[in-house]
PDB file of all heavy atoms in Angstrom:
ATOM      1  N   ARG D  71       5.364  -1.606  -6.545  1.00  0.00           N
ATOM      2  CA  ARG D  71       6.173  -0.893  -5.561  1.00  0.00           C
ATOM      3  C   ARG D  71       7.592  -1.437  -5.630  1.00  0.00           C
ATOM      4  O   ARG D  71       7.790  -2.663  -5.668  1.00  0.00           O
ATOM      5  CB  ARG D  71       5.592  -1.129  -4.157  1.00  0.00           C
ATOM      6  CG  ARG D  71       6.490  -0.696  -3.014  1.00  0.00           C
ATOM      7  CD  ARG D  71       6.553   0.798  -2.877  1.00  0.00           C
ATOM      8  NE  ARG D  71       7.453   1.216  -1.799  1.00  0.00           N
ATOM      9  CZ  ARG D  71       8.042   2.408  -1.754  1.00  0.00           C
ATOM     10  NH1 ARG D  71       7.844   3.301  -2.707  1.00  0.00           N
ATOM     11  NH2 ARG D  71       8.832   2.719  -0.758  1.00  0.00           N
ATOM     12  N   GLU D  75      15.668  -2.303   0.441  1.00  0.00           N
ATOM     13  CA  GLU D  75      15.869  -2.941   1.754  1.00  0.00           C
ATOM     14  C   GLU D  75      16.247  -1.937   2.832  1.00  0.00           C
ATOM     15  O   GLU D  75      17.097  -1.066   2.634  1.00  0.00           O
ATOM     16  CB  GLU D  75      16.993  -3.988   1.637  1.00  0.00           C
ATOM     17  CG  GLU D  75      17.306  -4.673   2.951  1.00  0.00           C
ATOM     18  CD  GLU D  75      18.231  -5.872   2.771  1.00  0.00           C
ATOM     19  OE1 GLU D  75      18.443  -6.315   1.629  1.00  0.00           O
ATOM     20  OE2 GLU D  75      18.727  -6.355   3.793  1.00  0.00           O
ATOM     21  N   ARG D 150      21.835   3.714  -5.273  1.00  0.00           N
ATOM     22  CA  ARG D 150      21.083   2.552  -5.762  1.00  0.00           C
ATOM     23  C   ARG D 150      21.113   2.427  -7.281  1.00  0.00           C
ATOM     24  O   ARG D 150      21.232   3.402  -7.996  1.00  0.00           O
ATOM     25  CB  ARG D 150      19.617   2.642  -5.306  1.00  0.00           C
ATOM     26  CG  ARG D 150      19.452   2.350  -3.837  1.00  0.00           C
ATOM     27  CD  ARG D 150      18.034   2.592  -3.386  1.00  0.00           C
ATOM     28  NE  ARG D 150      17.682   4.007  -3.459  1.00  0.00           N
ATOM     29  CZ  ARG D 150      16.496   4.505  -3.137  1.00  0.00           C
ATOM     30  NH1 ARG D 150      15.536   3.696  -2.747  1.00  0.00           N
ATOM     31  NH2 ARG D 150      16.270   5.794  -3.206  1.00  0.00           N
ATOM     32  N   THR D 171       5.298   5.482  -5.358  1.00  0.00           N
ATOM     33  CA  THR D 171       6.524   6.157  -4.937  1.00  0.00           C
ATOM     34  C   THR D 171       6.274   7.643  -4.753  1.00  0.00           C
ATOM     35  O   THR D 171       5.362   8.211  -5.369  1.00  0.00           O
ATOM     36  CB  THR D 171       7.668   5.949  -5.958  1.00  0.00           C
ATOM     37  OG1 THR D 171       8.870   6.545  -5.447  1.00  0.00           O
ATOM     38  CG2 THR D 171       7.367   6.578  -7.316  1.00  0.00           C
ATOM     39  N   LYS D 176      13.121   8.158  -9.275  1.00  0.00           N
ATOM     40  CA  LYS D 176      12.909   6.716  -9.490  1.00  0.00           C
ATOM     41  C   LYS D 176      12.089   6.515 -10.764  1.00  0.00           C
ATOM     42  O   LYS D 176      12.388   5.639 -11.570  1.00  0.00           O
ATOM     43  CB  LYS D 176      12.108   6.194  -8.296  1.00  0.00           C
ATOM     44  CG  LYS D 176      12.540   4.913  -7.699  1.00  0.00           C
ATOM     45  CD  LYS D 176      11.556   4.604  -6.557  1.00  0.00           C
ATOM     46  CE  LYS D 176      12.095   3.645  -5.575  1.00  0.00           C
ATOM     47  NZ  LYS D 176      11.165   3.373  -4.448  1.00  0.00           N
ATOM     48  N   LYS D 208      14.471  14.704   2.790  1.00  0.00           N
ATOM     49  CA  LYS D 208      14.175  13.997   1.524  1.00  0.00           C
ATOM     50  C   LYS D 208      13.396  14.921   0.585  1.00  0.00           C
ATOM     51  O   LYS D 208      13.641  14.939  -0.621  1.00  0.00           O
ATOM     52  CB  LYS D 208      13.360  12.721   1.786  1.00  0.00           C
ATOM     53  CG  LYS D 208      14.201  11.599   2.327  1.00  0.00           C
ATOM     54  CD  LYS D 208      13.703  10.217   1.915  1.00  0.00           C
ATOM     55  CE  LYS D 208      12.387   9.856   2.530  1.00  0.00           C
ATOM     56  NZ  LYS D 208      12.065   8.417   2.305  1.00  0.00           N
TER      57      LYS D 208
HETATM   58  N1  GTP W  24      22.205   6.033   3.482  1.00  0.00           N
HETATM   59  C1  GTP W  24      21.043   6.119   4.120  1.00  0.00           C
HETATM   60  N2  GTP W  24      20.047   5.313   3.728  1.00  0.00           N
HETATM   61  C2  GTP W  24      18.880   5.421   4.358  1.00  0.00           C
HETATM   62  C3  GTP W  24      18.662   6.322   5.420  1.00  0.00           C
HETATM   63  N3  GTP W  24      17.391   6.185   5.835  1.00  0.00           N
HETATM   64  C4  GTP W  24      16.831   5.229   5.059  1.00  0.00           C
HETATM   65  N4  GTP W  24      17.717   4.762   4.168  1.00  0.00           N
HETATM   66  C5  GTP W  24      17.547   3.790   3.088  1.00  0.00           C
HETATM   67  O1  GTP W  24      16.776   4.410   2.089  1.00  0.00           O
HETATM   68  C6  GTP W  24      16.159   3.411   1.293  1.00  0.00           C
HETATM   69  C7  GTP W  24      14.725   3.828   1.030  1.00  0.00           C
HETATM   70  O2  GTP W  24      14.765   5.011   0.284  1.00  0.00           O
HETATM   71  P1  GTP W  24      13.860   6.228   0.582  1.00  0.00           P
HETATM   72  O3  GTP W  24      14.693   7.468   0.434  1.00  0.00           O
HETATM   73  O4  GTP W  24      13.115   6.049   1.899  1.00  0.00           O
HETATM   74  O5  GTP W  24      12.731   6.209  -0.488  1.00  0.00           O
HETATM   75  P2  GTP W  24      12.787   5.954  -2.046  1.00  0.00           P
HETATM   76  O6  GTP W  24      12.835   4.483  -2.249  1.00  0.00           O
HETATM   77  O7  GTP W  24      13.838   6.770  -2.717  1.00  0.00           O
HETATM   78  O8  GTP W  24      11.403   6.604  -2.489  1.00  0.00           O
HETATM   79  P3  GTP W  24       9.932   6.098  -2.211  1.00  0.00           P
HETATM   80  O9  GTP W  24       9.607   5.213  -3.383  1.00  0.00           O
HETATM   81  O10 GTP W  24       9.117   7.321  -2.213  1.00  0.00           O
HETATM   82  O11 GTP W  24       9.912   5.369  -0.908  1.00  0.00           O
HETATM   83  C8  GTP W  24      16.320   2.109   2.052  1.00  0.00           C
HETATM   84  O12 GTP W  24      17.349   1.357   1.403  1.00  0.00           O
HETATM   85  C9  GTP W  24      16.797   2.545   3.436  1.00  0.00           C
HETATM   86  O13 GTP W  24      17.637   1.601   4.053  1.00  0.00           O
HETATM   87  C10 GTP W  24      19.739   7.156   5.821  1.00  0.00           C
HETATM   88  O14 GTP W  24      19.636   8.008   6.686  1.00  0.00           O
HETATM   89  N5  GTP W  24      20.908   6.999   5.131  1.00  0.00           N
END
Side-chain angles (χ1 to χ4, degrees):
R71 168 73 182 156
E75 178 170 348
R150 286 174 293 179
T171 184
K176 224 181 200 178
K208 283 211 292 190

